[in-house]
Amino acid sequence: MKQILQLLITIIFLGNSAFAESVLEGTVKNGNAEPLQGAVVVIKGSSAFSVADSNGHFSLKTPAKLPFTLIVSLVGHQRQEVKIEELPAAPLKIT
């Protein structure tokens, strides 16, 4: 009986930890407010990343622990780091 209870507790804990992640959405645009398709948005120090679509939109799962830094890069453009102190209510805009 103890083994069954431990298994259930583990499953419940893992399920709850999955809900700790949030989704960060936003757009990447250049100085002329044009979307940058193919821009790569990475959470610094992790393997979490997203590639901006034709509208510059990206979406990625974020770690539960704040703050973290996003690294935004695209060939032919200067790499940019953006520190996220709290998750924004509206989509993030990076130019």
Side-chain angles (χ1 to χ4, degrees):
M1 185 67 176
K2 284 185 179 180
Q3 290 177 344
I4 294 173
L5 182 57
Q6 287 176 336
L7 179 60
L8 289 175
I9 290 171
T10 302
I11 292 170
I12 291 168
F13 177 76
L14 292 175
N16 285 339
S17 67
F19 290 110
E21 289 187 341
S22 298
V23 175
L24 179 65
E25 294 185 355
T27 55
V28 182
K29 297 183 178 185
N30 64 16
N32 297 325
E34 299 167 332
L36 293 177
Q37 179 180 2
V40 178
V41 182
V42 179
I43 296 176
K44 188 174 187 175
S46 80
S47 60
F49 75 95
S50 179
V51 178
D53 65 14
S54 61
N55 296 316
H57 179 264
F58 69 91
S59 175
L60 68 125
K61 290 183 180 177
T62 63
K65 189 173 181 178
L66 291 168
F68 57 87
T69 301
L70 296 178
I71 299 173
V72 184
S73 61
L74 180 64
V75 174
H77 292 79
Q78 185 175 358
R79 181 179 122 159
Q80 184 176 354
E81 292 193 11
V82 179
K83 189 167 185 176
I84 305 296
E85 301 276 342
E86 61 183 57
L87 293 177
L92 184 66
K93 295 180 182 176
I94 301 171
T95 53

